[in-house]
Amino acid sequence: MTDLARWVDARTPPAPDDLLQRIRERTSEPGPSRGATPVTVLLEEGRRALRRARRSTGRDRTSAFELLVADALITYSCEAALQSADPESELLRLLTVAE
């Protein structure tokens, strides 16, 4: 388990089990962007989840759940930014990366 996955697991209140499982899948494995800060990794994973949700057409439960995963990851990205040594700079950087 990565430090980021442990950080996610420590959030209170915890996410519902099904949602937490999907979030863990996206934060526990090393990936191409894992050299980035936790703020950036969470944001990028949230953006990927959002793209997956948008690819589904119509009203689809899987797509809706993926949208919830995106929301949670992006929210955690903001929370991680607020817990950093320089929250204002991290939030501004987050906004820049999100464009």
Side-chain angles (χ1 to χ4, degrees), residues 3 11 15 19-20 23-26 42 45 49-50 53 57 80-82 85 89 92 97:
D3 288 342
R11 302 299 90 213
L19 181 59
L20 185 57
I23 294 167
R24 283 179 180 147
E25 290 169 5
R26 288 157 174 90
L42 289 162
E45 290 299 329
L50 185 57
T57 58
L82 290 171
S89 292
L92 287 172
V97 171

Side-chain angles (χ1 to χ4, degrees), residues 17-94:
D17 289 339
D18 289 345
L19 181 59
L20 185 57
Q21 179 59 35
R22 296 239 183 136
I23 294 167
R24 283 179 180 147
E25 290 169 5
R26 288 157 174 90
T27 59
S28 63
E29 295 294 323
S33 64
R34 293 305 189 245
T37 68
V39 173
T40 304
V41 171
L42 289 162
L43 177 64
E44 287 303 316
E45 290 299 329
R47 291 174 73 193
R48 283 185 190 97
L50 185 57
R51 285 191 296 273
R52 282 190 294 273
R54 292 179 64 199
R55 276 193 294 251
S56 295
T57 58
R59 294 181 182 191
D60 180 285
R61 184 176 281 248
T62 302
S63 177
F65 198 73
E66 200 63 38
L67 186 58
L68 290 173
V69 171
D71 176 63
L73 288 163
I74 293 168
T75 299
Y76 283 159
S77 178
C78 293
E79 187 175 336
L82 290 171
Q83 292 178 352
S84 71
D86 187 358
E88 186 174 343
S89 292
E90 276 296 292
L91 286 170
L92 287 172
R93 192 177 63 75
L94 190 149

